[in-house]
Each structure stands twice: as C-alpha cells, then as structure tokens.
Amino acid sequence: MSVVADRPASAVPDERGRFGTYGGRYVPEVLIPALDELAAAWTHLRDDPGFRGELADLLRDFVGRPTPITHARRLSDELGYDVWLKREDLAHTGAHKINNALGQALVAKRLGKQRIIAETGAGQHGVAAATACALLGLPCVVYMGEEDTHRQAPNVARMKLLGAEVVPVMAGTRTLKEAVNEALRDWAASVRDTHYIIGSVVGPHPFPVLVRDLQRVIGDEARAQYAERLGGDPDVVVACVGGGSNAIGMFTAYVGAPGVRLIGVEAGGRGSQLGEHCSSITQGQPGILHGALSYLLQDADGQVAVTHSISAGLDYPGVGPEHAYLRDREMAEYVSATDREALEGFQAMARTEGILPALEPSHVVGWLLTDPLPPGTRVLVCLSGRGDKDLDTVRAALGISDA
C-alpha cells in the first residue's frame, strides 16, 4: 500500500494553507522562505515515485507497516459494541509518530538540511525523530518541557541513547506548549540549515497538510483492512485528539463516507474549569497559536490558558486547524474523557485484551466505557501507541507499589 494515497487528497487546505477560515501562517518573516521551500518541496515529493518508493520501503522494512487491525473480542463483550483496533502501538518505536518523523526526515535530506530539531510532550515524537535521525545520519535536538522529562523519563533515556540532545524547557508550565515555543525560536535562528519536524497537524502551512499526508497511511490501511475483514465500513471511527495527528491520519480515509461517524476524544483532565483540562475544541475559542488559527484554550484576556492532562501527549492548549474545520462543518464530532476515565480505559484494555495502551488512546476506551453509543455499534479505534512510557504515571495514580 502506498504511503501517500493515489486517490486525491482532501480539498483543504487551499493555496494559502487555509482550512476554511483556519490555518494560515502567523510567523516571523524570517521563516517564510523556509515554509515556501517546504511547501514547494512537498508538492513535488508527495507525487514523486522515487520519494514514495523510498519511504514506502522504509515503512515496510523498518517501521513494520502495515500495522494490523485486531478484533477486541473481550472488550467488545464488556462494552456491548463490536470493537476493532488499528494497532499503531505495534509500529517501531511504539506509536504512530514514526510515520511522520521518518517522512519529514527524508524530506529534510532532499532539501539538504544538515540538522533536525523537534518538540515532544509524551516523548514518542521525540523518540521517533531521534530514531529517524539515527537511521539517516542526521544530528537531532529535541525540546521537551521539564515537567514532561520527569513523567516520561524512559523516553528521555531512549532519545539520548539514540544520539539526540534533549533540551529541557523551564518556561511557563514546562510542558508541550513551551517545548513548541522553544523549537520555533531555534528554527527562526537556524533556518538556513535546520529542518523542524513538527510532531502533529499544527503549526503554520504547510505543516498541517504535510503531517496529515504522512499520517494518512493509518486510515488508508485501516479502511482497506476493515473492509476486507468485515465487508464494509464501521459505524464509528474514533481516535484521541491532542494536536490531532493520529486522528487526522485515521479520519482522512473516512471523511464524507456515508454512515460513518468520526469522533475525536479530547483530554477532559480533572474537570471543566479552565486550567483543569485540554478540551480545546469542545471548550475553546478560535485564536492563534504556534503560527496557525484554530481552536485553543484562552482566558478572558485572550492569553493562552494553563492546561492539565494525565497524558503528556494530550497536554496541549490547541488543536490542528483541520480538526477545527471538520468540527465547524459537522464532518466530525468531538467529546472529552477525564483523567479518571482514561485510567479506567487503560485498565479495561489491559484486563480484557492483554494490551497496555498509551494514556492518550486510553481516553478513547474510557469514553467508550461511558456507554455513549447504541448497542451493537461497529467501532474502529485508533490505538495510537503503547503504554510502556506511562507505567510510572499509571502506577502512581492507581497506588500500585513495587511489593
């Protein structure tokens, strides 16, 4: 299966990088030439047989694609739905992030860039970027909020062992938003020889479409696999949403499909008060963050709000502009699940299926546990990553001791 689907891509964004009113470029002038260069390169490379073949070979032989779909039989019995899992947890490095990181690293090589920078929250994108750079012989610097370096310590060790320099960011809440801020500052100062591998469908054009095109392999594979196994489409396709790359990767194959509901699950955190959650679409307002216009969490003065989630990968105050577009046009639905529900989802998946999911997709399972769908609904879940990185967080939250 090709990495960039042969059928036409979504009609958005337009030539200005706009998904309706969302997206665009709100960046320092120094970055515009690099963004123009990247946009032109991707327009060419996404249809270039040589590039597509090289990336497809690596996704097959190095990443392990296609990842399978798995029938979650015991979880289905417990929920009363027919649940299938798209197993991105089985991709090399343990999550969907490697699809994008490897593709962007290859683009950077084609552009002659000598250095890679990246940001990370849960650490999986940092690990994926470090992995791709080790494979291709590129130096890599990863910016990570200092708070996240503690709660994702195993991934910090992995990045360092892979040869990356991990830079703790001490500003603000010391989480993903600040890591992106620092990466953008670095890029503005080193843009001539540096490529910034953004980890999600956020940021200025062309990043939202570039990351979508590299992640759509998830949904293209899943739709073909599901149809082959069950003879049609599921009733519901559901994925967790922080910045939103795994969800866009899954949704793109199904946008406009008759009878298929697309549902994104955000991090509801500890409650509905501002500062207690990361529900950017369900509780946010349009605003500008990290170079693009989309939904984000902001206070009465328009300042970006403090956020909280038990999941470092969802702990972000904004969302990709294509999600905002899909939401406003009622092409996708967005809900939220709390920290508690995510922990219940983590335990349910482990207990019924022998799978330790990352805390990010655990929000999806936790939401399904609240009985939000009619009995017998056919559900396809993007299991975006595995939970090894979250074991210390889960143990602490559940009071599990070493004894």
Side-chain angles (χ1 to χ4, degrees), residues 346-347 391-403:
F346 184 100
Q347 294 175 90
L391 288 180
D392 286 346
T393 299
V394 171
R395 289 173 61 216
L398 298 178
I400 299 173
S401 68
D402 294 327

PDB file of all heavy atoms in Angstrom, residues 346-347 391-403:
ATOM      1  N   PHE A 346      -7.471   2.454  30.400  1.00  0.00           N
ATOM      2  CA  PHE A 346      -6.181   1.761  30.422  1.00  0.00           C
ATOM      3  C   PHE A 346      -6.330   0.387  31.068  1.00  0.00           C
ATOM      4  O   PHE A 346      -5.874  -0.635  30.519  1.00  0.00           O
ATOM      5  CB  PHE A 346      -5.182   2.613  31.211  1.00  0.00           C
ATOM      6  CG  PHE A 346      -3.776   2.066  31.238  1.00  0.00           C
ATOM      7  CD1 PHE A 346      -2.799   2.577  30.392  1.00  0.00           C
ATOM      8  CD2 PHE A 346      -3.412   1.058  32.129  1.00  0.00           C
ATOM      9  CE1 PHE A 346      -1.496   2.091  30.417  1.00  0.00           C
ATOM     10  CE2 PHE A 346      -2.124   0.564  32.164  1.00  0.00           C
ATOM     11  CZ  PHE A 346      -1.162   1.080  31.303  1.00  0.00           C
ATOM     12  N   GLN A 347      -6.982   0.346  32.220  1.00  0.00           N
ATOM     13  CA  GLN A 347      -7.147  -0.924  32.945  1.00  0.00           C
ATOM     14  C   GLN A 347      -8.056  -1.891  32.197  1.00  0.00           C
ATOM     15  O   GLN A 347      -7.789  -3.105  32.167  1.00  0.00           O
ATOM     16  CB  GLN A 347      -7.720  -0.640  34.330  1.00  0.00           C
ATOM     17  CG  GLN A 347      -6.778   0.146  35.237  1.00  0.00           C
ATOM     18  CD  GLN A 347      -7.433   0.518  36.543  1.00  0.00           C
ATOM     19  OE1 GLN A 347      -7.371  -0.225  37.528  1.00  0.00           O
ATOM     20  NE2 GLN A 347      -8.077   1.681  36.567  1.00  0.00           N
ATOM     21  N   LEU A 391       3.828   3.841  32.429  1.00  0.00           N
ATOM     22  CA  LEU A 391       3.649   2.942  33.567  1.00  0.00           C
ATOM     23  C   LEU A 391       3.885   3.636  34.901  1.00  0.00           C
ATOM     24  O   LEU A 391       3.158   3.396  35.875  1.00  0.00           O
ATOM     25  CB  LEU A 391       4.564   1.727  33.434  1.00  0.00           C
ATOM     26  CG  LEU A 391       4.154   0.722  32.349  1.00  0.00           C
ATOM     27  CD1 LEU A 391       5.130  -0.447  32.296  1.00  0.00           C
ATOM     28  CD2 LEU A 391       2.736   0.219  32.573  1.00  0.00           C
ATOM     29  N   ASP A 392       4.899   4.502  34.982  1.00  0.00           N
ATOM     30  CA  ASP A 392       5.144   5.190  36.248  1.00  0.00           C
ATOM     31  C   ASP A 392       3.972   6.100  36.605  1.00  0.00           C
ATOM     32  O   ASP A 392       3.560   6.168  37.773  1.00  0.00           O
ATOM     33  CB  ASP A 392       6.434   6.012  36.172  1.00  0.00           C
ATOM     34  CG  ASP A 392       7.678   5.141  36.219  1.00  0.00           C
ATOM     35  OD1 ASP A 392       7.567   3.950  36.575  1.00  0.00           O
ATOM     36  OD2 ASP A 392       8.769   5.654  35.884  1.00  0.00           O
ATOM     37  N   THR A 393       3.423   6.798  35.611  1.00  0.00           N
ATOM     38  CA  THR A 393       2.272   7.670  35.854  1.00  0.00           C
ATOM     39  C   THR A 393       1.062   6.862  36.298  1.00  0.00           C
ATOM     40  O   THR A 393       0.363   7.235  37.255  1.00  0.00           O
ATOM     41  CB  THR A 393       1.923   8.457  34.572  1.00  0.00           C
ATOM     42  OG1 THR A 393       3.033   9.267  34.200  1.00  0.00           O
ATOM     43  CG2 THR A 393       0.708   9.342  34.788  1.00  0.00           C
ATOM     44  N   VAL A 394       0.805   5.743  35.636  1.00  0.00           N
ATOM     45  CA  VAL A 394      -0.342   4.908  35.984  1.00  0.00           C
ATOM     46  C   VAL A 394      -0.160   4.293  37.362  1.00  0.00           C
ATOM     47  O   VAL A 394      -1.100   4.281  38.181  1.00  0.00           O
ATOM     48  CB  VAL A 394      -0.537   3.812  34.910  1.00  0.00           C
ATOM     49  CG1 VAL A 394      -1.584   2.797  35.356  1.00  0.00           C
ATOM     50  CG2 VAL A 394      -0.943   4.440  33.578  1.00  0.00           C
ATOM     51  N   ARG A 395       1.026   3.806  37.650  1.00  0.00           N
ATOM     52  CA  ARG A 395       1.289   3.211  38.975  1.00  0.00           C
ATOM     53  C   ARG A 395       1.050   4.231  40.076  1.00  0.00           C
ATOM     54  O   ARG A 395       0.439   3.927  41.110  1.00  0.00           O
ATOM     55  CB  ARG A 395       2.714   2.684  39.048  1.00  0.00           C
ATOM     56  CG  ARG A 395       2.957   1.423  38.212  1.00  0.00           C
ATOM     57  CD  ARG A 395       4.413   1.053  38.205  1.00  0.00           C
ATOM     58  NE  ARG A 395       4.908   0.762  39.533  1.00  0.00           N
ATOM     59  CZ  ARG A 395       6.132   1.056  39.976  1.00  0.00           C
ATOM     60  NH1 ARG A 395       6.976   1.676  39.181  1.00  0.00           N
ATOM     61  NH2 ARG A 395       6.480   0.733  41.194  1.00  0.00           N
ATOM     62  N   ALA A 396       1.529   5.452  39.877  1.00  0.00           N
ATOM     63  CA  ALA A 396       1.353   6.487  40.899  1.00  0.00           C
ATOM     64  C   ALA A 396      -0.119   6.833  41.062  1.00  0.00           C
ATOM     65  O   ALA A 396      -0.615   6.993  42.184  1.00  0.00           O
ATOM     66  CB  ALA A 396       2.163   7.731  40.528  1.00  0.00           C
ATOM     67  N   ALA A 397      -0.840   6.952  39.941  1.00  0.00           N
ATOM     68  CA  ALA A 397      -2.244   7.339  40.002  1.00  0.00           C
ATOM     69  C   ALA A 397      -3.111   6.264  40.647  1.00  0.00           C
ATOM     70  O   ALA A 397      -4.091   6.571  41.342  1.00  0.00           O
ATOM     71  CB  ALA A 397      -2.751   7.648  38.589  1.00  0.00           C
ATOM     72  N   LEU A 398      -2.737   5.000  40.422  1.00  0.00           N
ATOM     73  CA  LEU A 398      -3.525   3.884  40.949  1.00  0.00           C
ATOM     74  C   LEU A 398      -3.012   3.356  42.280  1.00  0.00           C
ATOM     75  O   LEU A 398      -3.611   2.454  42.868  1.00  0.00           O
ATOM     76  CB  LEU A 398      -3.572   2.737  39.931  1.00  0.00           C
ATOM     77  CG  LEU A 398      -4.219   3.054  38.587  1.00  0.00           C
ATOM     78  CD1 LEU A 398      -4.143   1.847  37.660  1.00  0.00           C
ATOM     79  CD2 LEU A 398      -5.673   3.493  38.776  1.00  0.00           C
ATOM     80  N   GLY A 399      -1.887   3.903  42.742  1.00  0.00           N
ATOM     81  CA  GLY A 399      -1.341   3.455  44.023  1.00  0.00           C
ATOM     82  C   GLY A 399      -0.765   2.060  43.978  1.00  0.00           C
ATOM     83  O   GLY A 399      -0.834   1.325  44.965  1.00  0.00           O
ATOM     84  N   ILE A 400      -0.187   1.689  42.828  1.00  0.00           N
ATOM     85  CA  ILE A 400       0.409   0.358  42.680  1.00  0.00           C
ATOM     86  C   ILE A 400       1.846   0.398  43.178  1.00  0.00           C
ATOM     87  O   ILE A 400       2.664   1.169  42.666  1.00  0.00           O
ATOM     88  CB  ILE A 400       0.373  -0.106  41.205  1.00  0.00           C
ATOM     89  CG1 ILE A 400      -1.080  -0.178  40.717  1.00  0.00           C
ATOM     90  CG2 ILE A 400       1.065  -1.453  41.043  1.00  0.00           C
ATOM     91  CD1 ILE A 400      -1.197  -0.464  39.231  1.00  0.00           C
ATOM     92  N   SER A 401       2.166  -0.413  44.150  1.00  0.00           N
ATOM     93  CA  SER A 401       3.512  -0.434  44.735  1.00  0.00           C
ATOM     94  C   SER A 401       4.366  -1.496  44.077  1.00  0.00           C
ATOM     95  O   SER A 401       3.876  -2.329  43.312  1.00  0.00           O
ATOM     96  CB  SER A 401       3.435  -0.683  46.240  1.00  0.00           C
ATOM     97  OG  SER A 401       2.979  -2.002  46.487  1.00  0.00           O
ATOM     98  N   ASP A 402       5.661  -1.483  44.412  1.00  0.00           N
ATOM     99  CA  ASP A 402       6.572  -2.495  43.896  1.00  0.00           C
ATOM    100  C   ASP A 402       6.400  -3.845  44.575  1.00  0.00           C
ATOM    101  O   ASP A 402       6.838  -4.854  44.065  1.00  0.00           O
ATOM    102  CB  ASP A 402       8.034  -2.032  44.074  1.00  0.00           C
ATOM    103  CG  ASP A 402       8.348  -0.822  43.226  1.00  0.00           C
ATOM    104  OD1 ASP A 402       7.775  -0.708  42.139  1.00  0.00           O
ATOM    105  OD2 ASP A 402       9.191  -0.003  43.644  1.00  0.00           O
ATOM    106  N   ALA A 403       5.789  -3.834  45.735  1.00  0.00           N
ATOM    107  CA  ALA A 403       5.674  -5.073  46.529  1.00  0.00           C
ATOM    108  C   ALA A 403       4.683  -6.033  45.897  1.00  0.00           C
ATOM    109  O   ALA A 403       3.719  -5.626  45.282  1.00  0.00           O
ATOM    110  CB  ALA A 403       5.245  -4.736  47.947  1.00  0.00           C
TER     111      ALA A 403
END
